[in-house]
Amino acid sequence: MIDRPRRLRSTEAVRRLVRETHLVPSQLVLPLFVAEAATEPRPIASMPGVVQHTRDSARRAVVEAAELGLGGVMLFGVPQHKDAHGSGALDPTGILNVAIADVRAEVGDALLVMSDLCLDEFTDHGHCGVLDDRGRVDNDATLRIYAQMAQAQARAGAHVVGPSGMMDGQVEVVRRALDDDGHEDVVVLAYAAKYASAFYGPFREAVDSSLQGDRRTYQQDPANRREALRETLLDVEQGADIVMVKPAMSYLDVVADVRAAVDVPVAAYQVSGEYAMIEAAAAQGWIDRERAVHEALLSIRRAGADIVLTYWAVEVARRLAA
Ligand code: PBG
């Protein structure tokens, strides 16, 4: 026998030598929820260990994230009041914009401050855009709001904006709006291939979502693989600096396709339902929690993601440092 692949697995020392994929804190991004009405951090029942932050606790969380060497934090705002146009998203005193300013003041340039650029947390109907008179999500009217939202977030201090609403043309509109306002350095992390997924379930609790119905007229059909490349290439043409696939684990084929098709960095978002499934199974004693978390994250990196958004970012970074 000539080929004995087991030779390279015989000790941890040799396994370490030939390991192809690694997790490093600098490539992990922590999503953070900041709630306007919170007077203390509020646990999210379907995401054990994750909270809706107050402005103060968010500041403490980003200091910790910076100390651990994370790549960044992705901020989501949970406003107290919503309306049909999501006006809280444009208001400099709206919760997301003040949270951006708070955390930027805390970390400066030591950690990337990223913000979700989408209307769903701010609209009373819960859709990612405004509705027309027949109740359909109005693409182009929404783009005009996204342009202003990008400027509001950049003015508040975001290093990176993450348009996540899956409106056609959103990356180009956001890029132009940023440049017109003197924010040429602000990075666009485009949610390029975002699927209409059941795995966002716990997130809806995390942001007190008011959505009735679904997002299938704008988010992608889970059955489609080629369409993800079409969406991604359009975003790169429109000026995306980084493209993202979301969710991650049920879409690793898409992550691999996208990695092969573009030259820009690729991110993947390990979403709330992916987190909840592992936490729930581990709580039952059915899987080894730490190993499952590590394996899930490795699989996303192995598929081709350079950057991973994960609710376990802090825990994993601590373990890597130990
Ligand atoms: C939209 C947005 C969503 C998530 C991130 N950005 C929800 C959705 O599209 O319905 C989901 C993240 C998660 O499930 O962890 N603003």
Side-chain angles (χ1 to χ4, degrees):
M1 207 186 317
I2 299 294
D3 276 322
R4 288 187 181 273
R6 287 185 57 193
R7 200 175 287 129
L8 296 182
R9 294 180 210 135
S10 59
T11 64
E12 175 54 19
V14 70
R15 290 193 293 271
R16 202 168 55 215
L17 177 72
V18 300
R19 190 157 291 144
E20 298 174 33
T21 311
H22 298 271
L23 299 179
V24 289
S26 61
Q27 293 179 311
L28 301 177
V29 174
L30 176 70
L32 283 180
F33 305 106
V34 188
E36 187 166 33
T39 50
E40 54 188 296
R42 294 176 180 160
I44 299 163
S46 52
M47 301 178 73
V50 180
V51 298
Q52 288 183 341
H53 281 285
T54 65
R55 288 176 62 184
D56 274 345
S57 71
R59 293 177 89 120
R60 291 193 293 275
V62 296
V63 170
E64 182 182 40
E67 281 167 5
L68 285 165
L70 293 188
V73 289
M74 174 63 80
L75 296 175
F76 295 91
V78 185
Q80 203 165 5
H81 304 289
K82 308 181 186 196
D83 60 32
H85 292 93
S87 54
L90 304 183
D91 183 348
T93 69
I95 183 61
L96 180 53
N97 296 324
V98 296
I100 293 167
D102 285 347
V103 302
R104 179 70 195 271
E106 204 65 58
V107 298
D109 291 330
L111 175 80
L112 287 171
V113 176
M114 310 181 176
S115 53
D116 187 54
L117 201 168
C118 190
L119 286 177
D120 64 315
E121 283 94 42
F122 297 94
T123 51
D124 51 14
H125 45 74
H127 277 294
C128 295
V130 289
L131 307 181
D132 67 13
D133 49 13
R134 290 167 55 187
R136 297 171 306 188
V137 175
D138 185 335
N139 195 89
D140 298 12
T142 300
L143 292 183
R144 290 191 282 278
I145 300 176
Y146 284 179
Q148 297 172 57
M149 195 174 177
Q151 293 176 342
Q153 295 185 346
R155 287 176 196 164
H159 295 103
V160 180
V161 297
S164 68
M166 290 299 282
M167 295 302 124
D168 293 336
Q170 64 183 11
V171 171
E172 183 175 357
V173 160
V174 163
R175 181 73 268 158
R176 278 188 206 283
L178 290 170
D179 292 354
D180 287 348
D181 205 35
H183 303 291
E184 293 87 358
D185 292 340
V186 170
V187 171
V188 176
L189 189 175
Y191 286 63
K194 180 174 181 182
Y195 286 87
S197 172
F199 294 106
Y200 305 148
F203 178 92
R204 303 275 161 88
E205 180 194 346
V207 299
D208 300 343
S209 172
S210 28
L211 181 69
Q212 309 280 328
D214 61 58
R215 307 195 194 287
R216 281 183 258 189
T217 68
Y218 43 104
Q219 297 181 345
Q220 283 179 242
D221 186 331
N224 292 356
R225 181 169 176 173
R226 289 188 302 267
E227 189 185 24
L229 286 184
R230 181 174 184 217
E231 283 281 5
T232 303
L233 294 175
L234 280 170
D235 281 5
V236 172
E237 269 170 39
Q238 290 175 31
D241 298 292
I242 302 172
V243 291
M244 182 146 75
V245 174
K246 179 183 176 182
M249 229 161 106
S250 296
Y251 297 86
L252 296 181
D253 53 338
V254 177
V255 173
D257 285 354
V258 166
R259 177 62 291 167
V262 301
D263 293 325
V264 297
V266 174
Y269 196 141
Q270 182 184 53
V271 301
S272 56
E274 300 179 61
Y275 178 90
M277 284 193 297
I278 290 177
E279 289 289 344
Q284 296 281 342
W286 292 340
I287 52 172
D288 178 325
R289 184 177 171 286
E290 280 187 23
R291 286 186 55 204
V293 168
H294 196 84
E295 188 175 328
L297 285 167
L298 262 188
S299 74
I300 297 164
R301 293 268 300 109
R302 192 190 63 235
D306 304 293
I307 301 160
V308 186
L309 277 71
T310 173
Y311 299 99
W312 285 301
V314 164
E315 175 183 329
V316 170
R318 271 205 208 109
R319 216 155 35 235
L320 291 171

